[in-house]
């Protein structure tokens, strides 16, 4: 689709689209290969690992047949932090002994360099291996390898420092319950093996062994609710705590924890006597895509404020408090932040509200499993692309990063079907930080979702801060910045949230339950204003235009990227001294793409803001390597500025110089080595930092946002490069995959240049301003493919 080019002016300085037309050819630089520091030798590793492997063999022989798979034994090995990069995966060793990586687990170990030792995060590989494979591993350790392949494998043992069968007491989390208490547990079983790119769930015979073990201990298996996700098998069972500790000896068992309940709903205060007036028209601005809300239903669904039919997915009679919650959530999605006495806004998109609470009576109190099943089935069948979730299990993300069925199922759904889940972060932010109960609640830890916390005042009122109850980050690997941002959720009693009721009056409450639907409303409105929209575009807008907290560096775990606007409409307008550009493109594994950054020639000092968002396939069995895709950004501000290294044999620091100057020529004549590509700024590309620091800085995150000051004279035809690497089971993935992404770039003049937008629109004439028409231009035959 093309858009008419318009002359800029006060009413036509619009956000630019078609940024992908600014693609430029780039060549990947040759990767350097300086000498890598080895924290231990193979001989040191052999002395450590030989007795540990012997202990694993002894333990495996001592396992009764009913406690193990007949084919394989599951054990773990810890990788030193120096080797956690996907390209350093010990694949040769694992292949030689036929050890299949079926999962990972978070751990800490010592990262060693020549200068220092630091405790940092690493991972444990969970491996499935035959008895013969274990014996082969022991023989390779003893002999150092009897042929070339074994000797190559032997060299990789220096990457490991622990090998063990996991202790059953570390498998179970009983939360210090009484041993006689009967509990419903969620038991998570390892995959059986890997076939190509697919993790295969536990085989039938071994699964039957598990069922038989549970029943022999007086427990019950709820086999109607057994589910598989990403090769993992989630089995709800009930038994007393003492028996559960016996069941935890089952070798293919990954984790066992009490089944969480659905989060409690907020309390509601007194109602307002002044009502919200109906909109001038209840017909949505756009008919597609509809938004789905899953909650407690709506009172009086035939009222003029709630014109759509409310769909009951539960057979239970409505609960009045659940309906109050569902009505308030649905009302916020429809109307945004409605105020008593005002007139409701026209709904941007149609809303389908599904009543899933109260859940029907289910043995074992498995209402969370039932609710998730309804959400998944309905979203897929209905083709929904935006979903609001102001409910979920009452369980916080943990540093152990154990797989969670809600998060894993919804992340897979988001990737496979192009769905944006907008999720309330949870209301336990004032709980104990030492135990982690204050952190965002599942599934707000999704890598492909948009989690929303609460702030204490309505935008744009200042000052603002996180509401005390709003759950905090960090999230899981792949999306550590959680929640993505905050929106007003009310603070009782001084500044409560006005919760809309079906007859137009209001209750008062507080909670992220109401922050999330405000963001859903604003993103639905944005969808009607853009020529195209998809989850990556909407997530990019949310992060890019969030208002930074004055102390954002120290408060990111509380506020994410900042406070989100009540409406993104103003973000579609640019000031005379700025330009916003949207790039929508896709990238293949191993590809390197370059784009012009729209800094007009002759511009002084600027700030460049970059936001990259994409969805990634996920591996639920690999929580430390949860996202399979990494899109990395490299910013080169000056196309003539290169780095020069001293001649061989000389010490000294590198020097940056403009290649068109005499200084650069003198350096070359003196034998200095010029870099292959212009210098980078601010983002720290691959090779500049160790892997654990790259992960901390966002290498595998699905949303990246950075702001870079660039001084006058330090930019010339700036370029942004995006590269894509993929991993599977912790190692590099060579299969061909394509990742769609959205990129927002803003250039702001730091000197108030009132001609920046005009010069950018002239110099970069492939860009087109977003039309100022209400609603998107209709595309005949528009399909859900636009949302990928």
């Amino acid at each position: 689709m093309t858009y008419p080019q318009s002359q800029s002016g006060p009413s036509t300085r619009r956000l630019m689209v078609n940024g992908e037309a600014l693609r430029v050819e780039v060549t990947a630089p040759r990767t350097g290969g300086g000498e890598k520091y080895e924290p231990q030798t193979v001989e040191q590793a052999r002395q450590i690992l030989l007795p540990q492997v012997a202990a694993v063999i002894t333990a495996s022989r001592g396992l009764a047949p009913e406690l193990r798979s007949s084919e394989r034994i599951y054990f773990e090995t810890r990788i030193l932090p120096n080797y956690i990069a996907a390209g350093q995966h010990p694949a040769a060793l694992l292949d030689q002994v036929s050890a299949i990586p079926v999962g990972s687990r978070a751990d800490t170990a010592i990262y060693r360099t020549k200068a220092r030792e630091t405790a940092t995060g690493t991972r444990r590989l969970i491996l499935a291996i035959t008895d013969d494979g274990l014996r082969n591993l022991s023989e390779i350790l003893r002999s150092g390898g009897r042929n070339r392949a074994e000797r190559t494998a032997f060299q990789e043992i220096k990457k490991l420092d622990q090998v063990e069968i996991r202790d059953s007491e570390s498998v179970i989390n009983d939360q210090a319950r009484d041993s006689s208490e009967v509990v419903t547990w969620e038991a998570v079983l390892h995959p059986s093996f890997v076939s190509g790119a697919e993790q295969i769930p536990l085989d039938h015979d071994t699964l039957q062994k598990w069922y038989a073990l549970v029943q022999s201990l007086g427990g019950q298996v709820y086999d109607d609710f057994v589910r598989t996700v990403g090769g993992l098998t989630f089995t709800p069972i009930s038994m007393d705590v003492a028996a559960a500790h016996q069941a935890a000896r089952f070798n293919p068992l990954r984790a066992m924890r009490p089944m969480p309940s659905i989060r409690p709903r907020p309390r509601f205060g007194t109602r307002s006597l002044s009502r919200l007036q109906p909109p001038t028209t209840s017909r949505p601005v756009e008919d597609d895509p509809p938004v789905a809300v899953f909650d407690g239903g709506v009172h009086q669904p035939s009222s003029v404020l709630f014109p759509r039919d409310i769909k009951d997915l539960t057979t239970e009679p409505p609960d009045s408090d659940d309906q109050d919650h569902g009505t308030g959530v649905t009302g916020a999605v429809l109307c945004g932040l409605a105020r008593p006495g005002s007139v409701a806004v026209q709904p941007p998109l149609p809303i389908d509200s599904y009543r899933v609470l109260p859940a029907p009576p289910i043995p074992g109190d498995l209402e969370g499993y039932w609710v998730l099943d309804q959400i998944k089935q309905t979203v897929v069948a209905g083709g929904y692309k935006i979903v609001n979730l102001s409910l979920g299990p009452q369980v916080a993300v943990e540093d152990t990063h154990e797989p969670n069925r809600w998060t894993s199922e919804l992340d897979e759904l988001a990737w496979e079907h192009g769905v944006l889940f907008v999720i309330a972060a949870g209301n336990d932010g004032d709980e104990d930080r030492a135990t982690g109960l204050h952190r965002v609640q599942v599934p707000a830890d999704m890598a492909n979702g948009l989690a929303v916390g609460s702030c204490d005042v309505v935008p744009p009122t200042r000052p603002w801060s996180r509401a005390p109850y709003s759950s905090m980050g960090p999230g899981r690997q792949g999306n550590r910045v959680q929640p993505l941002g905050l929106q007003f959720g009310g603070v009782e009693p001084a500044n409560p949230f006005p919760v809309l009721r079906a007859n137009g009056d209001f209750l008062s409450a507080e909670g992220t339950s109401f922050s999330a639907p405000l963001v859903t409303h604003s993103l639905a409105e944005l969808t009607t204003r853009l020529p195209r929209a998809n989850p990556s575009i909407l997530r990019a807008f949310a992060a890019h235009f969030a208002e930074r907290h004055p102390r954002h560096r120290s408060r990111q775990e509380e506020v994410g990227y900042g406070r989100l606007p009540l409406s993104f409409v103003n973000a579609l307008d640019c000031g005379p001294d700025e330009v916003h550009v949207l790039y929508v493109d896709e990238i293949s594994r191993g590809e390197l793409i370059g784009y012009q950054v729209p800094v007009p020639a002759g511009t002084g000092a600027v700030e460049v803001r970059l936001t990259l968002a994409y969805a990634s396939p996920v591996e639920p069995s690999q929580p430390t390597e949860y996202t399979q895709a990494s899109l990395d950004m490299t910013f080169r501000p000056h196309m003539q500025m290169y780095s020069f290294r001293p001649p061989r044999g000389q010490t000294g620091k590198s020097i940056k110089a403009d290649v068109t100057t005499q200084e650069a020529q003198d350096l070359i004549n003196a034998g200095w080595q010029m870099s292959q590509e212009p210098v980078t700024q601010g983002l720290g590309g691959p090779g500049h930092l160790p892997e654990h620091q790259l992960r901390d800085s966002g290498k595998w995150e699905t949303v990246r946002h950075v702001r870079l000051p660039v001084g006058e004279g330090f930019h010339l035809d700036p370029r942004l490069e995006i590269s894509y690497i993929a991993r599977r089971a912790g190692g590099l993935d060579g299969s061909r995959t394509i990742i769609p992404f959205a990129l927002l770039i803003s250039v702001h003049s730091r000197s108030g240049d009132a001609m920046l937008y005009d010069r950018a629109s002239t110099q970069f004439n492939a860009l087109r301003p977003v039309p100022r028409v209400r609603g998107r231009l209709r595309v005949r035959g528009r399909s859900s493919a636009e949302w990928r």
Side-chain angles (χ1 to χ4, degrees):
M1 182 183 296
T2 58
Y3 307 96
Q5 181 79 27
S6 60
Q7 298 298 314
S8 60
S11 63
T12 57
R13 293 190 183 99
R14 302 284 285 165
L15 175 138
M16 297 284 194
V17 295
N18 203 35
E20 57 273 18
L22 301 185
R23 187 190 284 210
V24 294
E25 290 294 326
V26 292
T27 302
R30 296 185 301 276
T31 56
E35 184 178 350
K36 180 175 176 59
Y37 178 76
E38 306 289 357
Q40 67 178 0
T41 67
V42 290
E43 289 302 323
Q44 290 171 327
R46 188 209 310 249
Q47 292 182 21
I48 293 171
L49 298 177
L50 258 176
Q52 295 182 9
V53 171
V56 169
I57 292 174
T58 300
S60 67
R61 289 172 178 167
L63 272 176
E66 62 269 20
L67 295 177
R68 58 163 293 174
S69 162
S70 58
E71 298 292 331
R72 296 180 180 274
I73 195 79
Y74 294 86
F75 75 103
E76 298 184 3
T77 182
R78 186 170 69 180
I79 298 181
L80 291 172
N82 303 66
Y83 303 105
I84 60 174
Q88 296 168 328
H89 189 67
L93 176 62
L94 303 185
D95 290 346
Q96 190 61 38
V97 299
S98 300
I100 303 171
V102 294
S104 65
R105 201 186 310 279
D107 202 351
T108 58
I110 301 300
Y111 177 78
R112 293 183 176 90
T113 66
K114 290 181 179 179
R116 62 178 59 90
E117 296 184 355
T118 308
T120 190
T122 188
R123 74 179 189 274
R124 305 178 74 88
L125 292 181
I126 303 171
L127 304 170
I129 192 170
T130 64
D131 293 326
D132 287 343
L134 269 178
R135 287 190 289 270
N136 191 18
L137 175 59
S138 179
E139 180 58 35
I140 289 174
L141 284 171
R142 280 196 299 267
S143 68
R146 295 159 293 187
N147 54 47
R148 179 178 296 179
E150 287 188 355
R151 286 192 290 272
T152 300
F154 176 70
Q155 291 300 312
E156 292 198 326
I157 69 170
K158 63 188 176 186
K159 300 178 180 180
L160 315 175
D161 74 338
Q162 281 187 10
V163 176
E164 64 181 8
I165 292 180
R166 193 179 184 199
D167 179 76
S168 62
E169 290 302 306
S170 65
V171 171
I172 187 170
N173 175 8
D174 64 9
Q175 300 177 349
R177 296 170 184 261
D178 183 86
S179 62
S180 62
E181 181 182 355
V182 176
V183 176
T184 299
W185 305 88
E186 182 179 58
V188 186
L189 298 159
H190 292 302
S192 180
F193 60 94
V194 179
S195 176
E198 186 178 2
Q199 296 261 20
I200 306 301
L202 200 65
D203 63 278
H204 177 267
D205 290 346
T206 306
L207 191 58
Q208 292 303 312
K209 284 186 177 183
W210 168 243
Y211 294 168
L213 176 64
V214 171
Q215 291 163 358
S216 71
L217 293 168
Q220 181 179 358
V221 178
Y222 301 106
D223 48 5
D224 287 345
F225 285 91
V226 173
R227 301 288 183 266
T228 59
V229 186
L232 297 168
T233 303
F234 291 81
T235 60
I237 63 174
S238 66
M239 56 173 45
D240 64 47
V241 173
H245 279 267
Q246 294 296 311
R249 296 175 300 154
F250 191 66
N251 179 249
L253 182 64
R254 176 182 177 122
M256 192 168 167
R257 59 214 173 197
M259 184 70 68
S261 59
I262 294 293
R263 305 176 198 167
R265 55 181 172 259
R267 296 187 300 271
F268 295 97
T270 56
R271 69 181 65 181
S272 165
L273 297 178
S274 182
R275 294 187 172 184
L276 179 71
Q277 301 304 308
T280 54
T281 175
S282 60
R283 180 181 178 85
V285 175
E286 286 280 334
D287 296 329
D288 186 58
V291 178
V293 176
F294 295 90
D295 215 282
V298 173
H299 288 290
Q300 304 172 22
S302 59
S303 74
V304 292
L305 289 172
F306 296 85
R308 298 271 290 199
D309 289 336
I310 307 304
K311 300 170 172 62
D312 286 340
L313 298 181
T314 174
T315 56
E316 285 296 285
D319 176 90
S320 180
D321 287 340
D322 284 341
Q323 284 188 307
D324 282 339
H325 189 268
T327 302
V329 169
T330 304
V333 174
L334 274 168
C335 306
L337 185 63
R339 293 293 195 182
S342 63
V343 177
V345 299
Q346 181 183 4
L349 294 173
I351 310 297
D352 288 337
S353 183
Y354 290 91
R355 187 170 72 89
V356 293
L357 296 176
I362 301 169
D365 297 324
L366 297 177
E367 64 173 359
Y369 267 47
W370 182 87
V371 169
L372 179 56
D373 285 345
Q374 307 311 305
I375 293 171
K376 182 178 179 180
Q377 294 165 12
T378 305
V379 169
V380 172
Y384 293 102
K385 301 302 178 184
I386 304 176
V387 177
N388 187 92
L389 291 181
S390 290
L391 52 72
Q394 191 175 23
V395 56
V397 63
E398 300 171 335
D399 281 329
T400 57
H401 307 300
E402 284 295 342
N404 182 278
R405 188 190 158 215
W406 275 75
T407 300
S408 302
E409 291 257 29
L410 297 184
D411 263 329
E412 286 191 348
L413 201 61
W415 163 251
E416 293 172 359
H417 295 270
V419 185
L420 176 62
F421 290 95
V422 183
I423 310 156
N427 300 326
D428 287 347
D430 50 3
E431 294 291 334
D432 180 35
R433 297 195 182 192
T435 58
L437 296 177
H438 68 296
R439 291 171 65 177
V440 293
Q441 296 190 324
V442 171
D445 61 334
M446 285 178 62
N448 295 329
L450 197 165
V452 182
S454 290
C455 60
D456 57 351
V457 294
V458 177
T461 307
R462 297 177 181 173
W464 60 273
S465 62
R466 178 185 65 90
Y469 58 81
S470 182
S471 293
M472 301 166 54
R476 69 169 48 247
Q477 293 289 342
N479 212 351
R480 297 289 278 171
V481 180
Q482 294 283 25
L484 183 141
L486 308 184
Q487 183 50 271
F488 179 63
V491 178
E492 296 267 37
N495 192 20
F497 189 95
V499 180
L500 181 63
R501 304 184 77 237
N503 64 0
D505 64 16
F506 293 84
L507 300 175
S508 64
E510 65 178 12
T512 60
S513 285
F514 309 111
S515 306
L518 289 187
V519 175
T520 303
H521 174 85
S522 63
L523 293 176
E525 179 189 43
L526 177 63
T527 297
T528 70
R529 305 291 184 124
L530 292 173
R532 58 172 162 169
N534 63 35
S536 294
I537 292 172
L538 298 182
R539 293 171 78 210
F541 265 85
H544 196 79
F545 292 104
E547 177 191 355
R548 273 193 171 184
H549 192 275
R551 296 166 61 188
H552 67 274
R553 293 187 184 278
S554 61
R555 295 288 179 87
Q556 189 169 69
E557 289 189 355
E558 294 190 43
V559 305
Y561 290 111
R563 183 171 64 169
L564 303 174
L566 283 172
S567 172
F568 288 92
V569 170
N570 289 339
L572 302 179
D573 287 318
C574 301
D577 58 348
E578 65 180 1
V579 62
H580 310 309
V581 179
L582 174 64
Y583 303 64
V584 183
D585 212 339
E586 60 183 27
I587 186 169
S588 298
R589 188 200 63 80
E591 189 176 8
L592 179 67
I593 297 176
Y595 299 102
Q596 292 176 287
V597 176
V599 180
T603 302
V606 296
E607 179 184 67
V608 177
R609 299 181 182 178
L610 309 169
T611 303
L612 176 68
Y614 61 97
S616 171
V618 298
E619 280 192 285
S621 65
Q622 304 278 347
T624 62
E625 323 291 301
Y626 184 61
T627 49
Q628 293 184 349
S630 170
L631 303 193
D632 192 62
M633 297 188 294
T634 301
F635 180 57
R636 303 187 189 277
H638 198 298
M639 287 299 99
Q640 294 178 356
M641 192 69 66
Y642 284 72
S643 176
F644 293 83
R645 288 179 299 150
R648 291 183 181 277
Q650 291 188 19
T651 60
K653 295 182 178 180
S654 296
I655 296 174
K656 297 177 183 178
D658 187 325
V659 293
T660 64
T661 64
Q662 185 61 45
E663 178 190 12
Q665 189 59 53
D666 291 342
L667 290 170
I668 293 172
N669 293 339
W672 287 62
Q673 302 294 311
M674 189 175 79
S675 59
Q676 300 173 57
E677 296 292 330
V679 297
T680 62
Q681 176 184 341
L683 300 180
H688 296 148
L689 294 171
E691 178 71 13
H692 68 276
Q693 291 185 25
L694 286 172
R695 294 183 181 201
D696 291 342
S697 64
K699 176 181 177 181
W700 294 94
E701 306 288 289
T702 59
V703 176
R704 303 280 303 277
H705 174 73
V706 292
R707 304 186 183 191
L708 302 170
V710 185
E712 183 174 3
F714 289 89
H715 57 78
L716 177 68
D717 300 328
R719 184 174 81 204
L720 182 72
E721 297 170 2
I722 297 178
S723 58
Y724 168 29
I725 60 173
R727 61 186 176 185
R728 180 173 283 116
L732 288 176
D733 177 20
S735 61
R736 178 172 173 80
T737 52
I738 296 176
I739 298 292
F741 64 88
L743 171 68
L744 272 168
I745 299 182
S746 292
V747 178
H748 298 257
S749 170
R750 296 169 66 192
S751 60
D753 182 353
M755 296 299 293
L756 189 148
Y757 182 94
D758 295 322
R759 288 189 288 108
S761 62
T762 299
Q763 181 176 337
F764 303 96
N765 56 18
L767 301 177
R768 298 290 182 265
V770 170
R772 191 180 288 277
V773 293
R774 186 166 182 81
R776 288 174 290 166
L777 299 181
R778 179 68 62 185
V779 181
R780 187 178 300 277
R782 180 165 57 87
S783 70
S784 61
E786 287 191 40
W787 283 80
R788 293 306 306 273

